[in-house]
Amino acid sequence: MAMDIGDVERYLRDTFVGINAVENSGDTFVMYDPDADLPAHRQFPFVTLVTGDTYDQVSDLNRTGAYRLNIGLPKAAYTARFGAAPTRRAENGVLDTGYDYARRDALMPHPVYAAQYWVCVVEPGAATFEGVKPLLAEAHAFAVRKYRNERARSLRSLVEEHFRAFVGEAHGQELEVARLLAQDRAYEDGRSREERLRWAAVSLEASRRQGTGGPSDRARSRTQEFLLRMWVIERLGPDDRGGEWNPETLAGDTLEALELGPAEARALAAHGPDLGIERMRELRRHKNMTAHLEELIGHMRPGPVRDRLRAWAAVRPLLP
């Protein structure tokens, strides 16, 4: 004898904390939403109770009292019971799993969402429902993990947003501290590549804001920027689409920042101690701004730009 759908709903409400059950046209969608404040685009159920053929017609649910219990599982929980998720669909979108989706009181892959690791039972009996309870607990725990992970990501994004706003307003030593903090977070191995790139971009912005003074400030800013961009290209991988993390773009920005050519710099360096203090400082600025060239050349395609970088790399050891 099939369990009454109301008994299933009561079990869900009485057993699992933090859930919010939304009803629509006789169907029930159960999601983990402890504060009942999820925006519509994030309201993803982990259990549904469907009472008609609105979404598919393979379970013969347009009968009085008929319903189907659907459960969204983690991948491991699904594959432990049914193997790899199905991929082949019929013209109506129903997955080919070999199961009779109209069969009652039997756990089986979901006819449409098994590819996303959902399972279902049409009108479960008491014994079958007892066997399903551990799956409901797994689905609830999975929904809790996803909710908490999303909240953590939102919090991190908020922190980054506030940090970026601070960088946009900071000056002097505060700006240097912000640059270093953002850079340290970009260097942390425990963060995802995407997160590290975002922090690198914040540090880059701070570096550029520091380069608004005289030649020394500009050179120091460019040196910090070029070294960070080179680190990202080396450690996190280049962006072949262009932009800050693209080797060709970095090469172009480097050459544009250098006021001297390599031959001119070589000729000046040959004067040694007789070189005036201002020229000495100019050569040192060029030496600092080319500190990343050996690594950068290894990412460049053969051509005139790489040849110019090689010329600078050869001159650099001669600079004071």
Side-chain angles (χ1 to χ4, degrees), residues 173-193:
Q173 189 60 31
E174 283 187 341
L175 191 58
E176 173 63 4
V177 170
R179 181 189 73 81
L180 291 173
L181 283 174
Q183 180 177 279
D184 287 345
R185 292 175 182 179
Y187 287 173
E188 290 178 5
D189 291 335
R191 300 178 185 273
S192 68
R193 180 179 185 275

Side-chain angles (χ1 to χ4, degrees), residues 166-176 209:
F166 173 77
V167 166
E169 298 174 357
H171 297 278
Q173 189 60 31
E174 283 187 341
L175 191 58
E176 173 63 4
R209 288 203 61 237

Side-chain angles (χ1 to χ4, degrees), residues 157-174:
S157 296
L158 182 62
V159 170
E160 290 175 25
E161 180 181 338
H162 286 181
F163 199 98
R164 193 180 293 272
F166 173 77
V167 166
E169 298 174 357
H171 297 278
Q173 189 60 31
E174 283 187 341

Side-chain angles (χ1 to χ4, degrees), residues 76-102:
Y78 178 94
T79 57
R81 290 161 178 80
F82 297 107
T87 57
R88 190 170 59 184
R89 296 181 184 271
E91 291 183 1
N92 60 359
V94 173
L95 287 160
D96 180 8
T97 63
Y99 284 83
D100 176 8
Y101 295 123

